Short mmCIF file of all heavy atoms in Angstrom, two decimals:
data_model
loop_
_atom_site.label_atom_id
_atom_site.label_comp_id
_atom_site.label_asym_id
_atom_site.label_seq_id
_atom_site.Cartn_x
_atom_site.Cartn_y
_atom_site.Cartn_z
N MET U 275 17.05 19.25 -7.94
CA MET U 275 15.60 19.41 -8.10
C MET U 275 14.87 18.11 -8.30
O MET U 275 13.78 17.89 -7.85
CB MET U 275 15.28 20.29 -9.31
CG MET U 275 15.64 21.81 -9.12
SD MET U 275 14.91 22.51 -7.62
CE MET U 275 13.20 22.20 -7.95
N GLY U 276 15.58 17.16 -9.03
CA GLY U 276 15.00 15.86 -9.15
C GLY U 276 14.89 15.13 -7.78
O GLY U 276 13.87 14.45 -7.49
N THR U 277 15.80 15.28 -6.89
CA THR U 277 15.76 14.78 -5.56
C THR U 277 14.69 15.36 -4.74
O THR U 277 13.94 14.71 -3.98
CB THR U 277 17.14 14.97 -4.78
OG1 THR U 277 18.20 14.41 -5.56
CG2 THR U 277 17.03 14.24 -3.47
N VAL U 278 14.48 16.71 -4.82
CA VAL U 278 13.38 17.41 -4.13
C VAL U 278 12.00 16.92 -4.63
O VAL U 278 11.08 16.62 -3.82
CB VAL U 278 13.53 18.98 -4.35
CG1 VAL U 278 12.33 19.64 -3.86
CG2 VAL U 278 14.73 19.49 -3.67
N ILE U 279 11.87 16.71 -6.02
CA ILE U 279 10.58 16.18 -6.48
C ILE U 279 10.40 14.82 -6.00
O ILE U 279 9.23 14.41 -5.56
CB ILE U 279 10.67 16.27 -8.06
CG1 ILE U 279 10.66 17.74 -8.49
CG2 ILE U 279 9.50 15.49 -8.58
CD1 ILE U 279 10.79 17.85 -10.04
N GLY U 280 11.38 13.93 -6.06
CA GLY U 280 11.25 12.60 -5.56
C GLY U 280 11.01 12.54 -4.06
O GLY U 280 10.06 11.74 -3.63
N ALA U 281 11.58 13.38 -3.25
CA ALA U 281 11.28 13.43 -1.85
C ALA U 281 9.88 13.85 -1.53
O ALA U 281 9.26 13.25 -0.67
CB ALA U 281 12.30 14.39 -1.11
N LEU U 282 9.44 14.84 -2.19
CA LEU U 282 8.06 15.35 -1.96
C LEU U 282 6.97 14.33 -2.30
O LEU U 282 5.99 14.19 -1.67
CB LEU U 282 7.83 16.65 -2.69
CG LEU U 282 8.65 17.87 -2.27
CD1 LEU U 282 8.38 19.05 -3.12
CD2 LEU U 282 8.34 18.21 -0.85
N LEU U 283 7.22 13.62 -3.45
CA LEU U 283 6.27 12.64 -3.91
C LEU U 283 6.34 11.35 -3.12
O LEU U 283 5.28 10.65 -2.85
CB LEU U 283 6.38 12.32 -5.40
CG LEU U 283 6.17 13.49 -6.36
CD1 LEU U 283 6.48 13.10 -7.76
CD2 LEU U 283 4.73 13.98 -6.18
N SER U 284 7.50 10.98 -2.72
CA SER U 284 7.68 9.62 -2.06
C SER U 284 7.34 9.75 -0.57
O SER U 284 7.04 8.70 -0.01
CB SER U 284 9.21 9.18 -2.19
OG SER U 284 10.03 10.07 -1.50
N PHE U 285 7.43 10.92 0.04
CA PHE U 285 7.15 11.04 1.49
C PHE U 285 5.75 10.52 1.88
O PHE U 285 5.62 9.66 2.76
CB PHE U 285 7.41 12.45 2.00
CG PHE U 285 7.45 12.58 3.49
CD1 PHE U 285 8.44 12.00 4.27
CD2 PHE U 285 6.40 13.21 4.16
CE1 PHE U 285 8.48 12.08 5.65
CE2 PHE U 285 6.42 13.35 5.49
CZ PHE U 285 7.42 12.77 6.22
N PRO U 286 4.76 11.07 1.30
CA PRO U 286 3.37 10.57 1.61
C PRO U 286 3.19 9.09 1.20
O PRO U 286 2.49 8.32 1.87
CB PRO U 286 2.43 11.50 0.87
CG PRO U 286 3.18 12.06 -0.21
CD PRO U 286 4.54 12.20 0.30
N LEU U 287 3.80 8.72 0.06
CA LEU U 287 3.58 7.33 -0.41
C LEU U 287 4.27 6.32 0.52
O LEU U 287 3.83 5.18 0.65
CB LEU U 287 4.13 7.12 -1.84
CG LEU U 287 3.42 7.85 -3.01
CD1 LEU U 287 4.17 7.73 -4.31
CD2 LEU U 287 2.04 7.31 -3.10
N SER U 288 5.32 6.76 1.17
CA SER U 288 6.06 5.85 2.07
C SER U 288 5.14 5.47 3.32
O SER U 288 5.28 4.32 3.78
CB SER U 288 7.35 6.49 2.55
OG SER U 288 7.09 7.67 3.32
N PHE U 289 4.30 6.42 3.77
CA PHE U 289 3.41 6.07 4.85
C PHE U 289 2.29 5.11 4.32
O PHE U 289 1.84 4.26 5.14
CB PHE U 289 2.74 7.35 5.34
CG PHE U 289 3.63 8.15 6.19
CD1 PHE U 289 4.44 9.19 5.59
CD2 PHE U 289 3.82 7.95 7.51
CE1 PHE U 289 5.32 9.95 6.38
CE2 PHE U 289 4.69 8.72 8.31
CZ PHE U 289 5.43 9.77 7.73
N LEU U 290 1.83 5.30 3.12
CA LEU U 290 0.88 4.35 2.62
C LEU U 290 1.39 2.95 2.32
O LEU U 290 0.69 1.97 2.20
CB LEU U 290 0.22 4.89 1.31
CG LEU U 290 -0.47 6.32 1.47
CD1 LEU U 290 -0.97 6.81 0.03
CD2 LEU U 290 -1.62 6.14 2.45
N ALA U 291 2.76 2.84 2.14
CA ALA U 291 3.43 1.60 1.89
C ALA U 291 3.91 0.91 3.14
O ALA U 291 4.53 -0.25 3.09
CB ALA U 291 4.55 1.77 0.93
N ALA U 292 3.80 1.55 4.28
CA ALA U 292 4.28 1.00 5.51
C ALA U 292 3.13 0.11 6.18
O ALA U 292 2.02 0.64 6.42
CB ALA U 292 4.70 2.14 6.52
N SER U 293 3.48 -1.16 6.49
CA SER U 293 2.40 -1.98 7.03
C SER U 293 1.96 -1.66 8.39
O SER U 293 0.95 -2.10 8.83
CB SER U 293 2.93 -3.44 6.96
OG SER U 293 4.19 -3.59 7.71
N ASN U 294 2.76 -0.99 9.16
CA ASN U 294 2.41 -0.57 10.52
C ASN U 294 1.62 0.64 10.59
O ASN U 294 1.21 1.12 11.70
CB ASN U 294 3.60 -0.51 11.41
CG ASN U 294 4.58 0.65 10.94
OD1 ASN U 294 4.63 0.91 9.74
ND2 ASN U 294 5.37 1.11 11.84
N VAL U 295 1.39 1.37 9.47
CA VAL U 295 0.63 2.59 9.44
C VAL U 295 -0.69 2.47 8.60
O VAL U 295 -1.74 2.90 9.04
CB VAL U 295 1.57 3.73 8.84
CG1 VAL U 295 0.72 5.00 8.69
CG2 VAL U 295 2.70 4.00 9.77
N ALA U 296 -0.53 1.91 7.38
CA ALA U 296 -1.65 1.81 6.53
C ALA U 296 -2.24 0.39 6.46
O ALA U 296 -1.54 -0.52 6.79
CB ALA U 296 -1.19 2.20 5.09
N PRO U 297 -3.46 0.28 6.18
CA PRO U 297 -4.09 -1.11 6.00
C PRO U 297 -3.52 -1.80 4.86
O PRO U 297 -3.01 -1.24 3.94
CB PRO U 297 -5.59 -0.78 5.86
CG PRO U 297 -5.64 0.63 5.26
CD PRO U 297 -4.51 1.35 5.90
N ARG U 298 -3.76 -3.17 4.99
CA ARG U 298 -3.10 -4.06 3.91
C ARG U 298 -3.64 -3.75 2.54
O ARG U 298 -2.83 -3.80 1.55
CB ARG U 298 -3.37 -5.52 4.32
CG ARG U 298 -2.68 -6.50 3.41
CD ARG U 298 -2.92 -7.90 3.87
NE ARG U 298 -2.26 -8.89 3.01
CZ ARG U 298 -1.05 -9.24 3.04
NH1 ARG U 298 -0.18 -8.66 3.94
NH2 ARG U 298 -0.55 -10.19 2.19
N TRP U 299 -4.90 -3.48 2.38
CA TRP U 299 -5.47 -3.15 1.08
C TRP U 299 -4.90 -1.91 0.40
O TRP U 299 -5.09 -1.72 -0.75
CB TRP U 299 -7.01 -3.15 1.08
CG TRP U 299 -7.56 -2.02 1.98
CD1 TRP U 299 -7.91 -2.08 3.32
CD2 TRP U 299 -7.89 -0.76 1.58
NE1 TRP U 299 -8.34 -0.88 3.76
CE2 TRP U 299 -8.38 -0.01 2.68
CE3 TRP U 299 -7.90 -0.04 0.33
CZ2 TRP U 299 -8.83 1.31 2.57
CZ3 TRP U 299 -8.26 1.25 0.21
CH2 TRP U 299 -8.78 1.94 1.35
N VAL U 300 -4.33 -1.11 1.26
CA VAL U 300 -3.58 0.17 0.66
C VAL U 300 -2.20 -0.13 0.49
O VAL U 300 -1.57 0.34 -0.46
CB VAL U 300 -3.80 1.35 1.64
CG1 VAL U 300 -2.99 2.52 1.15
CG2 VAL U 300 -5.27 1.71 1.74
N VAL U 301 -1.52 -0.88 1.33
CA VAL U 301 -0.13 -1.19 1.30
C VAL U 301 0.30 -1.89 0.01
O VAL U 301 1.26 -1.55 -0.65
CB VAL U 301 0.34 -1.99 2.55
CG1 VAL U 301 1.83 -2.43 2.40
CG2 VAL U 301 0.26 -1.08 3.79
N LEU U 302 -0.47 -2.97 -0.27
CA LEU U 302 -0.14 -3.78 -1.48
C LEU U 302 -0.04 -3.07 -2.80
O LEU U 302 0.94 -3.17 -3.55
CB LEU U 302 -1.08 -5.01 -1.47
CG LEU U 302 -0.93 -6.02 -0.38
CD1 LEU U 302 -1.85 -7.16 -0.56
CD2 LEU U 302 0.49 -6.62 -0.31
N PRO U 303 -1.10 -2.25 -3.17
CA PRO U 303 -1.05 -1.55 -4.42
C PRO U 303 0.03 -0.44 -4.46
O PRO U 303 0.67 -0.23 -5.50
CB PRO U 303 -2.44 -0.99 -4.67
CG PRO U 303 -3.08 -1.03 -3.28
CD PRO U 303 -2.50 -2.14 -2.58
N VAL U 304 0.20 0.22 -3.29
CA VAL U 304 1.25 1.27 -3.32
C VAL U 304 2.59 0.68 -3.41
O VAL U 304 3.47 1.21 -4.16
CB VAL U 304 1.11 2.04 -1.98
CG1 VAL U 304 2.26 3.01 -1.84
CG2 VAL U 304 -0.22 2.79 -1.98
N ARG U 305 2.91 -0.45 -2.81
CA ARG U 305 4.18 -1.13 -2.92
C ARG U 305 4.36 -1.58 -4.38
O ARG U 305 5.50 -1.49 -4.91
CB ARG U 305 4.27 -2.25 -1.97
CG ARG U 305 4.44 -1.93 -0.51
CD ARG U 305 4.71 -3.11 0.34
NE ARG U 305 4.98 -2.72 1.69
CZ ARG U 305 5.29 -3.61 2.67
NH1 ARG U 305 5.23 -4.90 2.42
NH2 ARG U 305 5.53 -3.21 3.87
N GLN U 306 3.39 -2.04 -5.08
CA GLN U 306 3.47 -2.52 -6.49
C GLN U 306 3.81 -1.32 -7.32
O GLN U 306 4.56 -1.32 -8.25
CB GLN U 306 2.27 -3.19 -6.93
CG GLN U 306 2.00 -4.47 -6.23
CD GLN U 306 3.15 -5.45 -6.35
OE1 GLN U 306 3.87 -5.62 -7.42
NE2 GLN U 306 3.57 -6.13 -5.28
N LEU U 307 3.12 -0.11 -7.03
CA LEU U 307 3.45 1.10 -7.79
C LEU U 307 4.82 1.48 -7.67
O LEU U 307 5.57 1.89 -8.59
CB LEU U 307 2.52 2.22 -7.28
CG LEU U 307 2.71 3.57 -7.87
CD1 LEU U 307 2.51 3.52 -9.39
CD2 LEU U 307 1.82 4.68 -7.21
N LEU U 308 5.39 1.50 -6.41
CA LEU U 308 6.80 1.77 -6.18
C LEU U 308 7.72 0.80 -6.85
O LEU U 308 8.81 1.23 -7.44
CB LEU U 308 7.06 1.80 -4.73
CG LEU U 308 6.36 2.90 -3.89
CD1 LEU U 308 6.67 2.75 -2.33
CD2 LEU U 308 6.65 4.26 -4.34
N ASN U 309 7.35 -0.44 -6.89
CA ASN U 309 8.16 -1.44 -7.66
C ASN U 309 8.22 -1.11 -9.14
O ASN U 309 9.24 -1.26 -9.73
CB ASN U 309 7.57 -2.87 -7.41
CG ASN U 309 7.79 -3.33 -5.94
OD1 ASN U 309 8.73 -2.85 -5.26
ND2 ASN U 309 7.00 -4.23 -5.52
N ILE U 310 7.08 -0.80 -9.71
CA ILE U 310 7.04 -0.48 -11.09
C ILE U 310 7.91 0.74 -11.42
O ILE U 310 8.74 0.74 -12.45
CB ILE U 310 5.59 -0.25 -11.52
CG1 ILE U 310 4.81 -1.50 -11.50
CG2 ILE U 310 5.52 0.32 -13.01
CD1 ILE U 310 3.28 -1.29 -11.75
N ILE U 311 7.80 1.78 -10.56
CA ILE U 311 8.61 2.97 -10.85
C ILE U 311 10.13 2.65 -10.68
O ILE U 311 10.97 3.11 -11.50
CB ILE U 311 8.26 4.11 -9.84
CG1 ILE U 311 6.76 4.55 -10.13
CG2 ILE U 311 9.19 5.27 -9.96
CD1 ILE U 311 6.26 5.51 -9.13
N ARG U 312 10.46 1.79 -9.69
CA ARG U 312 11.83 1.46 -9.42
C ARG U 312 12.47 0.61 -10.59
O ARG U 312 13.66 0.62 -10.80
CB ARG U 312 11.97 0.80 -8.10
CG ARG U 312 13.37 0.69 -7.56
CD ARG U 312 13.45 0.29 -6.15
NE ARG U 312 12.75 -0.98 -5.90
CZ ARG U 312 11.55 -1.18 -5.34
NH1 ARG U 312 10.95 -0.11 -4.92
NH2 ARG U 312 11.16 -2.37 -5.08
N ALA U 313 11.52 -0.12 -11.24
CA ALA U 313 12.07 -1.01 -12.28
C ALA U 313 12.32 -0.22 -13.65
O ALA U 313 12.97 -0.78 -14.49
CB ALA U 313 11.00 -2.07 -12.60
N LEU U 314 11.82 0.98 -13.71
CA LEU U 314 12.07 1.81 -14.98
C LEU U 314 13.33 2.64 -14.79
O LEU U 314 13.40 3.46 -13.88
CB LEU U 314 10.89 2.66 -15.24
CG LEU U 314 9.57 1.98 -15.57
CD1 LEU U 314 8.44 2.99 -15.67
CD2 LEU U 314 9.65 1.19 -16.82
N PRO U 315 14.33 2.48 -15.65
CA PRO U 315 15.55 3.33 -15.64
C PRO U 315 15.21 4.80 -15.95
O PRO U 315 14.23 5.03 -16.70
CB PRO U 315 16.44 2.74 -16.63
CG PRO U 315 15.94 1.35 -16.95
CD PRO U 315 14.41 1.42 -16.71
N GLU U 316 15.93 5.65 -15.40
CA GLU U 316 15.73 7.07 -15.68
C GLU U 316 15.85 7.40 -17.12
O GLU U 316 15.11 8.33 -17.64
CB GLU U 316 16.71 7.98 -14.80
CG GLU U 316 16.47 7.97 -13.30
CD GLU U 316 17.04 6.80 -12.58
OE1 GLU U 316 17.71 5.98 -13.32
OE2 GLU U 316 16.95 6.71 -11.34
#
């Protein structure tokens, strides 16, 4: 269930963090958000 929740939430965010899909002003804050989440242990 944790993987399902992570997949559902990360799937749209991954498009917003991809430089070939989203504009730069969207990519940078979304990538920083993902970095912050990744830095926090479960």
